Amino acid sequence: MKKMPHFRKQMAQKTVHLNLTEDYMNHFQKNVQKLCKAEQDLAVGSDVEGQKVKDPIRTLLPVLLHPHDIYDKIRAVLLYIFSLNGTTEENLNKLIQHVKIKEDIEFILNWRELGVPIISSITELVPTA
């Protein structure tokens, strides 16, 4: 009988941990899992089955349409650009507008300092003061 309160306390703690775990798993399955799959496909250039990613924009669009964090979207755009070895200025402008990162464009453009081809001419992309 002396162990009953201790047992109830342990059960209450385990129930809290199980509820937290369920919440995290639900969040993972709704958001993170799809984001990770898209990023993995763009980074590697093939899907889990080994099939080559033929149209990277189809892999990128679900990430951009989902209400992910802005930095997750920027990372996906960078992987998209890297997977194509650069993109057109028009396409980059559309991506920037879609992700709504006009003021954070430096995140993308600074990749050129690492030797990653972004576009052939960046003069029209630099925001004017």
PDB file of all heavy atoms in Angstrom, residues 60-91:
ATOM      1  N   LEU A  60       9.956  20.956 -55.195  1.00  0.00           N
ATOM      2  CA  LEU A  60      10.038  22.185 -54.420  1.00  0.00           C
ATOM      3  C   LEU A  60       8.675  22.796 -54.107  1.00  0.00           C
ATOM      4  O   LEU A  60       8.463  23.306 -53.003  1.00  0.00           O
ATOM      5  CB  LEU A  60      10.901  23.203 -55.167  1.00  0.00           C
ATOM      6  CG  LEU A  60      11.063  24.576 -54.525  1.00  0.00           C
ATOM      7  CD1 LEU A  60      11.822  24.458 -53.209  1.00  0.00           C
ATOM      8  CD2 LEU A  60      11.779  25.511 -55.474  1.00  0.00           C
ATOM      9  N   LEU A  61       7.747  22.750 -55.041  1.00  0.00           N
ATOM     10  CA  LEU A  61       6.472  23.447 -54.868  1.00  0.00           C
ATOM     11  C   LEU A  61       5.693  23.058 -53.612  1.00  0.00           C
ATOM     12  O   LEU A  61       5.176  23.946 -52.930  1.00  0.00           O
ATOM     13  CB  LEU A  61       5.604  23.269 -56.112  1.00  0.00           C
ATOM     14  CG  LEU A  61       5.926  24.243 -57.240  1.00  0.00           C
ATOM     15  CD1 LEU A  61       5.062  23.966 -58.451  1.00  0.00           C
ATOM     16  CD2 LEU A  61       5.786  25.675 -56.801  1.00  0.00           C
ATOM     17  N   PRO A  62       5.571  21.777 -53.266  1.00  0.00           N
ATOM     18  CA  PRO A  62       4.834  21.466 -52.034  1.00  0.00           C
ATOM     19  C   PRO A  62       5.457  22.110 -50.787  1.00  0.00           C
ATOM     20  O   PRO A  62       4.740  22.500 -49.871  1.00  0.00           O
ATOM     21  CB  PRO A  62       4.900  19.942 -51.943  1.00  0.00           C
ATOM     22  CG  PRO A  62       5.113  19.481 -53.334  1.00  0.00           C
ATOM     23  CD  PRO A  62       5.921  20.552 -53.997  1.00  0.00           C
ATOM     24  N   VAL A  63       6.756  22.256 -50.791  1.00  0.00           N
ATOM     25  CA  VAL A  63       7.424  22.906 -49.661  1.00  0.00           C
ATOM     26  C   VAL A  63       7.050  24.386 -49.621  1.00  0.00           C
ATOM     27  O   VAL A  63       6.766  24.947 -48.564  1.00  0.00           O
ATOM     28  CB  VAL A  63       8.957  22.741 -49.760  1.00  0.00           C
ATOM     29  CG1 VAL A  63       9.667  23.559 -48.698  1.00  0.00           C
ATOM     30  CG2 VAL A  63       9.335  21.279 -49.663  1.00  0.00           C
ATOM     31  N   LEU A  64       7.030  25.022 -50.782  1.00  0.00           N
ATOM     32  CA  LEU A  64       6.715  26.446 -50.837  1.00  0.00           C
ATOM     33  C   LEU A  64       5.251  26.726 -50.537  1.00  0.00           C
ATOM     34  O   LEU A  64       4.926  27.777 -49.978  1.00  0.00           O
ATOM     35  CB  LEU A  64       7.080  27.013 -52.210  1.00  0.00           C
ATOM     36  CG  LEU A  64       8.554  26.916 -52.600  1.00  0.00           C
ATOM     37  CD1 LEU A  64       8.767  27.537 -53.963  1.00  0.00           C
ATOM     38  CD2 LEU A  64       9.446  27.536 -51.560  1.00  0.00           C
ATOM     39  N   LEU A  65       4.375  25.804 -50.885  1.00  0.00           N
ATOM     40  CA  LEU A  65       2.943  26.005 -50.656  1.00  0.00           C
ATOM     41  C   LEU A  65       2.535  25.711 -49.219  1.00  0.00           C
ATOM     42  O   LEU A  65       1.514  26.213 -48.751  1.00  0.00           O
ATOM     43  CB  LEU A  65       2.131  25.138 -51.616  1.00  0.00           C
ATOM     44  CG  LEU A  65       2.278  25.488 -53.090  1.00  0.00           C
ATOM     45  CD1 LEU A  65       1.537  24.476 -53.950  1.00  0.00           C
ATOM     46  CD2 LEU A  65       1.789  26.900 -53.369  1.00  0.00           C
ATOM     47  N   HIS A  66       3.292  24.915 -48.523  1.00  0.00           N
ATOM     48  CA  HIS A  66       2.985  24.567 -47.135  1.00  0.00           C
ATOM     49  C   HIS A  66       3.434  25.711 -46.225  1.00  0.00           C
ATOM     50  O   HIS A  66       4.415  26.384 -46.516  1.00  0.00           O
ATOM     51  CB  HIS A  66       3.728  23.273 -46.765  1.00  0.00           C
ATOM     52  CG  HIS A  66       3.256  22.666 -45.503  1.00  0.00           C
ATOM     53  ND1 HIS A  66       3.698  23.081 -44.282  1.00  0.00           N
ATOM     54  CD2 HIS A  66       2.377  21.671 -45.258  1.00  0.00           C
ATOM     55  CE1 HIS A  66       3.128  22.375 -43.342  1.00  0.00           C
ATOM     56  NE2 HIS A  66       2.316  21.502 -43.901  1.00  0.00           N
ATOM     57  N   PRO A  67       2.742  25.940 -45.127  1.00  0.00           N
ATOM     58  CA  PRO A  67       3.148  27.048 -44.242  1.00  0.00           C
ATOM     59  C   PRO A  67       4.364  26.721 -43.369  1.00  0.00           C
ATOM     60  O   PRO A  67       4.326  26.825 -42.146  1.00  0.00           O
ATOM     61  CB  PRO A  67       1.905  27.284 -43.387  1.00  0.00           C
ATOM     62  CG  PRO A  67       1.217  25.975 -43.353  1.00  0.00           C
ATOM     63  CD  PRO A  67       1.488  25.337 -44.693  1.00  0.00           C
ATOM     64  N   HIS A  68       5.451  26.313 -44.012  1.00  0.00           N
ATOM     65  CA  HIS A  68       6.693  26.062 -43.289  1.00  0.00           C
ATOM     66  C   HIS A  68       7.312  27.377 -42.868  1.00  0.00           C
ATOM     67  O   HIS A  68       6.962  28.449 -43.365  1.00  0.00           O
ATOM     68  CB  HIS A  68       7.700  25.312 -44.183  1.00  0.00           C
ATOM     69  CG  HIS A  68       7.345  23.900 -44.464  1.00  0.00           C
ATOM     70  ND1 HIS A  68       7.297  22.924 -43.496  1.00  0.00           N
ATOM     71  CD2 HIS A  68       7.013  23.282 -45.621  1.00  0.00           C
ATOM     72  CE1 HIS A  68       6.956  21.780 -44.029  1.00  0.00           C
ATOM     73  NE2 HIS A  68       6.772  21.969 -45.328  1.00  0.00           N
ATOM     74  N   ASP A  69       8.287  27.314 -42.003  1.00  0.00           N
ATOM     75  CA  ASP A  69       9.055  28.472 -41.579  1.00  0.00           C
ATOM     76  C   ASP A  69       9.791  29.053 -42.788  1.00  0.00           C
ATOM     77  O   ASP A  69      10.165  28.334 -43.712  1.00  0.00           O
ATOM     78  CB  ASP A  69      10.060  28.025 -40.501  1.00  0.00           C
ATOM     79  CG  ASP A  69      10.849  29.179 -39.953  1.00  0.00           C
ATOM     80  OD1 ASP A  69      10.231  30.096 -39.395  1.00  0.00           O
ATOM     81  OD2 ASP A  69      12.093  29.154 -40.088  1.00  0.00           O
ATOM     82  N   ILE A  70       9.997  30.357 -42.781  1.00  0.00           N
ATOM     83  CA  ILE A  70      10.640  31.033 -43.909  1.00  0.00           C
ATOM     84  C   ILE A  70      12.038  30.476 -44.173  1.00  0.00           C
ATOM     85  O   ILE A  70      12.447  30.335 -45.324  1.00  0.00           O
ATOM     86  CB  ILE A  70      10.680  32.568 -43.682  1.00  0.00           C
ATOM     87  CG1 ILE A  70      11.152  33.298 -44.940  1.00  0.00           C
ATOM     88  CG2 ILE A  70      11.569  32.934 -42.527  1.00  0.00           C
ATOM     89  CD1 ILE A  70      10.129  33.369 -46.006  1.00  0.00           C
ATOM     90  N   TYR A  71      12.758  30.112 -43.134  1.00  0.00           N
ATOM     91  CA  TYR A  71      14.114  29.595 -43.317  1.00  0.00           C
ATOM     92  C   TYR A  71      14.105  28.189 -43.909  1.00  0.00           C
ATOM     93  O   TYR A  71      15.019  27.826 -44.650  1.00  0.00           O
ATOM     94  CB  TYR A  71      14.898  29.641 -42.004  1.00  0.00           C
ATOM     95  CG  TYR A  71      15.063  31.062 -41.512  1.00  0.00           C
ATOM     96  CD1 TYR A  71      14.388  31.521 -40.396  1.00  0.00           C
ATOM     97  CD2 TYR A  71      15.872  31.956 -42.208  1.00  0.00           C
ATOM     98  CE1 TYR A  71      14.521  32.835 -39.976  1.00  0.00           C
ATOM     99  CE2 TYR A  71      16.010  33.267 -41.804  1.00  0.00           C
ATOM    100  CZ  TYR A  71      15.336  33.703 -40.676  1.00  0.00           C
ATOM    101  OH  TYR A  71      15.469  35.005 -40.279  1.00  0.00           O
ATOM    102  N   ASP A  72      13.075  27.423 -43.628  1.00  0.00           N
ATOM    103  CA  ASP A  72      12.930  26.114 -44.274  1.00  0.00           C
ATOM    104  C   ASP A  72      12.705  26.295 -45.771  1.00  0.00           C
ATOM    105  O   ASP A  72      13.259  25.564 -46.595  1.00  0.00           O
ATOM    106  CB  ASP A  72      11.760  25.333 -43.671  1.00  0.00           C
ATOM    107  CG  ASP A  72      12.011  24.909 -42.239  1.00  0.00           C
ATOM    108  OD1 ASP A  72      13.190  24.753 -41.855  1.00  0.00           O
ATOM    109  OD2 ASP A  72      11.022  24.715 -41.501  1.00  0.00           O
ATOM    110  N   LYS A  73      11.904  27.280 -46.124  1.00  0.00           N
ATOM    111  CA  LYS A  73      11.638  27.554 -47.539  1.00  0.00           C
ATOM    112  C   LYS A  73      12.890  28.064 -48.251  1.00  0.00           C
ATOM    113  O   LYS A  73      13.174  27.669 -49.380  1.00  0.00           O
ATOM    114  CB  LYS A  73      10.490  28.546 -47.683  1.00  0.00           C
ATOM    115  CG  LYS A  73       9.161  27.964 -47.255  1.00  0.00           C
ATOM    116  CD  LYS A  73       8.043  28.957 -47.433  1.00  0.00           C
ATOM    117  CE  LYS A  73       6.715  28.352 -47.007  1.00  0.00           C
ATOM    118  NZ  LYS A  73       5.586  29.222 -47.320  1.00  0.00           N
ATOM    119  N   ILE A  74      13.629  28.936 -47.587  1.00  0.00           N
ATOM    120  CA  ILE A  74      14.871  29.439 -48.183  1.00  0.00           C
ATOM    121  C   ILE A  74      15.844  28.289 -48.405  1.00  0.00           C
ATOM    122  O   ILE A  74      16.474  28.192 -49.459  1.00  0.00           O
ATOM    123  CB  ILE A  74      15.502  30.531 -47.293  1.00  0.00           C
ATOM    124  CG1 ILE A  74      14.643  31.786 -47.320  1.00  0.00           C
ATOM    125  CG2 ILE A  74      16.920  30.849 -47.748  1.00  0.00           C
ATOM    126  CD1 ILE A  74      15.063  32.847 -46.324  1.00  0.00           C
ATOM    127  N   ARG A  75      15.959  27.408 -47.433  1.00  0.00           N
ATOM    128  CA  ARG A  75      16.856  26.256 -47.569  1.00  0.00           C
ATOM    129  C   ARG A  75      16.423  25.372 -48.740  1.00  0.00           C
ATOM    130  O   ARG A  75      17.255  24.911 -49.524  1.00  0.00           O
ATOM    131  CB  ARG A  75      16.875  25.457 -46.263  1.00  0.00           C
ATOM    132  CG  ARG A  75      17.919  24.382 -46.226  1.00  0.00           C
ATOM    133  CD  ARG A  75      18.012  23.713 -44.857  1.00  0.00           C
ATOM    134  NE  ARG A  75      16.755  23.121 -44.438  1.00  0.00           N
ATOM    135  CZ  ARG A  75      16.032  23.550 -43.402  1.00  0.00           C
ATOM    136  NH1 ARG A  75      16.428  24.569 -42.688  1.00  0.00           N
ATOM    137  NH2 ARG A  75      14.905  22.942 -43.089  1.00  0.00           N
ATOM    138  N   ALA A  76      15.124  25.175 -48.909  1.00  0.00           N
ATOM    139  CA  ALA A  76      14.627  24.370 -50.023  1.00  0.00           C
ATOM    140  C   ALA A  76      14.921  25.049 -51.360  1.00  0.00           C
ATOM    141  O   ALA A  76      15.303  24.385 -52.328  1.00  0.00           O
ATOM    142  CB  ALA A  76      13.133  24.114 -49.859  1.00  0.00           C
ATOM    143  N   VAL A  77      14.765  26.367 -51.416  1.00  0.00           N
ATOM    144  CA  VAL A  77      15.072  27.107 -52.650  1.00  0.00           C
ATOM    145  C   VAL A  77      16.565  26.987 -52.965  1.00  0.00           C
ATOM    146  O   VAL A  77      16.951  26.778 -54.121  1.00  0.00           O
ATOM    147  CB  VAL A  77      14.644  28.588 -52.537  1.00  0.00           C
ATOM    148  CG1 VAL A  77      15.207  29.413 -53.673  1.00  0.00           C
ATOM    149  CG2 VAL A  77      13.124  28.695 -52.508  1.00  0.00           C
ATOM    150  N   LEU A  78      17.406  27.093 -51.963  1.00  0.00           N
ATOM    151  CA  LEU A  78      18.841  26.950 -52.183  1.00  0.00           C
ATOM    152  C   LEU A  78      19.189  25.554 -52.693  1.00  0.00           C
ATOM    153  O   LEU A  78      20.014  25.406 -53.600  1.00  0.00           O
ATOM    154  CB  LEU A  78      19.610  27.248 -50.890  1.00  0.00           C
ATOM    155  CG  LEU A  78      19.647  28.714 -50.474  1.00  0.00           C
ATOM    156  CD1 LEU A  78      20.218  28.849 -49.074  1.00  0.00           C
ATOM    157  CD2 LEU A  78      20.431  29.533 -51.465  1.00  0.00           C
ATOM    158  N   LEU A  79      18.560  24.543 -52.141  1.00  0.00           N
ATOM    159  CA  LEU A  79      18.797  23.182 -52.629  1.00  0.00           C
ATOM    160  C   LEU A  79      18.318  23.029 -54.066  1.00  0.00           C
ATOM    161  O   LEU A  79      18.949  22.344 -54.873  1.00  0.00           O
ATOM    162  CB  LEU A  79      18.107  22.157 -51.726  1.00  0.00           C
ATOM    163  CG  LEU A  79      18.799  21.895 -50.405  1.00  0.00           C
ATOM    164  CD1 LEU A  79      17.902  21.092 -49.489  1.00  0.00           C
ATOM    165  CD2 LEU A  79      20.110  21.176 -50.628  1.00  0.00           C
ATOM    166  N   TYR A  80      17.194  23.653 -54.383  1.00  0.00           N
ATOM    167  CA  TYR A  80      16.670  23.618 -55.753  1.00  0.00           C
ATOM    168  C   TYR A  80      17.675  24.252 -56.719  1.00  0.00           C
ATOM    169  O   TYR A  80      18.013  23.671 -57.752  1.00  0.00           O
ATOM    170  CB  TYR A  80      15.328  24.346 -55.807  1.00  0.00           C
ATOM    171  CG  TYR A  80      14.830  24.634 -57.195  1.00  0.00           C
ATOM    172  CD1 TYR A  80      14.271  23.626 -57.965  1.00  0.00           C
ATOM    173  CD2 TYR A  80      14.923  25.905 -57.736  1.00  0.00           C
ATOM    174  CE1 TYR A  80      13.817  23.886 -59.255  1.00  0.00           C
ATOM    175  CE2 TYR A  80      14.472  26.174 -59.012  1.00  0.00           C
ATOM    176  CZ  TYR A  80      13.920  25.155 -59.763  1.00  0.00           C
ATOM    177  OH  TYR A  80      13.479  25.426 -61.036  1.00  0.00           O
ATOM    178  N   ILE A  81      18.163  25.440 -56.371  1.00  0.00           N
ATOM    179  CA  ILE A  81      19.134  26.131 -57.223  1.00  0.00           C
ATOM    180  C   ILE A  81      20.408  25.304 -57.366  1.00  0.00           C
ATOM    181  O   ILE A  81      20.955  25.158 -58.454  1.00  0.00           O
ATOM    182  CB  ILE A  81      19.443  27.532 -56.661  1.00  0.00           C
ATOM    183  CG1 ILE A  81      18.214  28.426 -56.776  1.00  0.00           C
ATOM    184  CG2 ILE A  81      20.633  28.164 -57.374  1.00  0.00           C
ATOM    185  CD1 ILE A  81      18.316  29.729 -56.017  1.00  0.00           C
ATOM    186  N   PHE A  82      20.866  24.750 -56.255  1.00  0.00           N
ATOM    187  CA  PHE A  82      22.084  23.943 -56.271  1.00  0.00           C
ATOM    188  C   PHE A  82      21.902  22.688 -57.116  1.00  0.00           C
ATOM    189  O   PHE A  82      22.800  22.296 -57.855  1.00  0.00           O
ATOM    190  CB  PHE A  82      22.471  23.571 -54.838  1.00  0.00           C
ATOM    191  CG  PHE A  82      23.786  22.878 -54.735  1.00  0.00           C
ATOM    192  CD1 PHE A  82      24.964  23.576 -54.915  1.00  0.00           C
ATOM    193  CD2 PHE A  82      23.858  21.526 -54.465  1.00  0.00           C
ATOM    194  CE1 PHE A  82      26.192  22.946 -54.819  1.00  0.00           C
ATOM    195  CE2 PHE A  82      25.071  20.877 -54.373  1.00  0.00           C
ATOM    196  CZ  PHE A  82      26.241  21.588 -54.547  1.00  0.00           C
ATOM    197  N   SER A  83      20.709  22.076 -57.038  1.00  0.00           N
ATOM    198  CA  SER A  83      20.468  20.849 -57.806  1.00  0.00           C
ATOM    199  C   SER A  83      20.449  21.111 -59.304  1.00  0.00           C
ATOM    200  O   SER A  83      20.786  20.233 -60.095  1.00  0.00           O
ATOM    201  CB  SER A  83      19.161  20.183 -57.373  1.00  0.00           C
ATOM    202  OG  SER A  83      18.042  20.935 -57.810  1.00  0.00           O
ATOM    203  N   LEU A  84      20.071  22.317 -59.705  1.00  0.00           N
ATOM    204  CA  LEU A  84      20.039  22.674 -61.128  1.00  0.00           C
ATOM    205  C   LEU A  84      21.336  23.322 -61.591  1.00  0.00           C
ATOM    206  O   LEU A  84      21.470  23.653 -62.769  1.00  0.00           O
ATOM    207  CB  LEU A  84      18.885  23.634 -61.409  1.00  0.00           C
ATOM    208  CG  LEU A  84      17.487  23.073 -61.235  1.00  0.00           C
ATOM    209  CD1 LEU A  84      16.456  24.176 -61.460  1.00  0.00           C
ATOM    210  CD2 LEU A  84      17.253  21.916 -62.186  1.00  0.00           C
ATOM    211  N   ASN A  85      22.247  23.556 -60.658  1.00  0.00           N
ATOM    212  CA  ASN A  85      23.501  24.239 -60.969  1.00  0.00           C
ATOM    213  C   ASN A  85      23.229  25.651 -61.476  1.00  0.00           C
ATOM    214  O   ASN A  85      23.815  26.109 -62.444  1.00  0.00           O
ATOM    215  CB  ASN A  85      24.329  23.433 -61.967  1.00  0.00           C
ATOM    216  CG  ASN A  85      25.798  23.730 -61.842  1.00  0.00           C
ATOM    217  OD1 ASN A  85      26.230  24.316 -60.859  1.00  0.00           O
ATOM    218  ND2 ASN A  85      26.567  23.328 -62.830  1.00  0.00           N
ATOM    219  N   GLY A  86      22.296  26.329 -60.790  1.00  0.00           N
ATOM    220  CA  GLY A  86      21.915  27.687 -61.161  1.00  0.00           C
ATOM    221  C   GLY A  86      20.539  27.714 -61.786  1.00  0.00           C
ATOM    222  O   GLY A  86      20.005  26.689 -62.189  1.00  0.00           O
ATOM    223  N   THR A  87      19.950  28.887 -61.853  1.00  0.00           N
ATOM    224  CA  THR A  87      18.619  29.039 -62.425  1.00  0.00           C
ATOM    225  C   THR A  87      18.550  30.359 -63.172  1.00  0.00           C
ATOM    226  O   THR A  87      19.467  31.177 -63.108  1.00  0.00           O
ATOM    227  CB  THR A  87      17.550  28.973 -61.313  1.00  0.00           C
ATOM    228  OG1 THR A  87      16.262  28.956 -61.914  1.00  0.00           O
ATOM    229  CG2 THR A  87      17.639  30.131 -60.354  1.00  0.00           C
ATOM    230  N   THR A  88      17.465  30.559 -63.872  1.00  0.00           N
ATOM    231  CA  THR A  88      17.299  31.806 -64.609  1.00  0.00           C
ATOM    232  C   THR A  88      16.904  32.917 -63.644  1.00  0.00           C
ATOM    233  O   THR A  88      16.364  32.676 -62.576  1.00  0.00           O
ATOM    234  CB  THR A  88      16.211  31.668 -65.686  1.00  0.00           C
ATOM    235  OG1 THR A  88      14.963  31.424 -65.045  1.00  0.00           O
ATOM    236  CG2 THR A  88      16.541  30.548 -66.653  1.00  0.00           C
ATOM    237  N   GLU A  89      17.176  34.128 -64.062  1.00  0.00           N
ATOM    238  CA  GLU A  89      16.824  35.283 -63.242  1.00  0.00           C
ATOM    239  C   GLU A  89      15.315  35.374 -63.050  1.00  0.00           C
ATOM    240  O   GLU A  89      14.828  35.676 -61.956  1.00  0.00           O
ATOM    241  CB  GLU A  89      17.360  36.551 -63.910  1.00  0.00           C
ATOM    242  CG  GLU A  89      17.237  37.768 -63.056  1.00  0.00           C
ATOM    243  CD  GLU A  89      17.979  38.937 -63.669  1.00  0.00           C
ATOM    244  OE1 GLU A  89      18.932  38.734 -64.424  1.00  0.00           O
ATOM    245  OE2 GLU A  89      17.585  40.065 -63.375  1.00  0.00           O
ATOM    246  N   GLU A  90      14.577  35.096 -64.107  1.00  0.00           N
ATOM    247  CA  GLU A  90      13.111  35.136 -64.028  1.00  0.00           C
ATOM    248  C   GLU A  90      12.585  34.105 -63.027  1.00  0.00           C
ATOM    249  O   GLU A  90      11.733  34.409 -62.200  1.00  0.00           O
ATOM    250  CB  GLU A  90      12.513  34.872 -65.419  1.00  0.00           C
ATOM    251  CG  GLU A  90      11.012  34.854 -65.443  1.00  0.00           C
ATOM    252  CD  GLU A  90      10.464  34.492 -66.822  1.00  0.00           C
ATOM    253  OE1 GLU A  90      11.221  34.513 -67.806  1.00  0.00           O
ATOM    254  OE2 GLU A  90       9.269  34.176 -66.879  1.00  0.00           O
ATOM    255  N   ASN A  91      13.115  32.895 -63.098  1.00  0.00           N
ATOM    256  CA  ASN A  91      12.692  31.844 -62.183  1.00  0.00           C
ATOM    257  C   ASN A  91      13.045  32.196 -60.737  1.00  0.00           C
ATOM    258  O   ASN A  91      12.237  31.991 -59.823  1.00  0.00           O
ATOM    259  CB  ASN A  91      13.326  30.513 -62.582  1.00  0.00           C
ATOM    260  CG  ASN A  91      12.710  29.343 -61.893  1.00  0.00           C
ATOM    261  OD1 ASN A  91      11.580  29.396 -61.432  1.00  0.00           O
ATOM    262  ND2 ASN A  91      13.452  28.263 -61.807  1.00  0.00           N
TER     263      ASN A  91
END
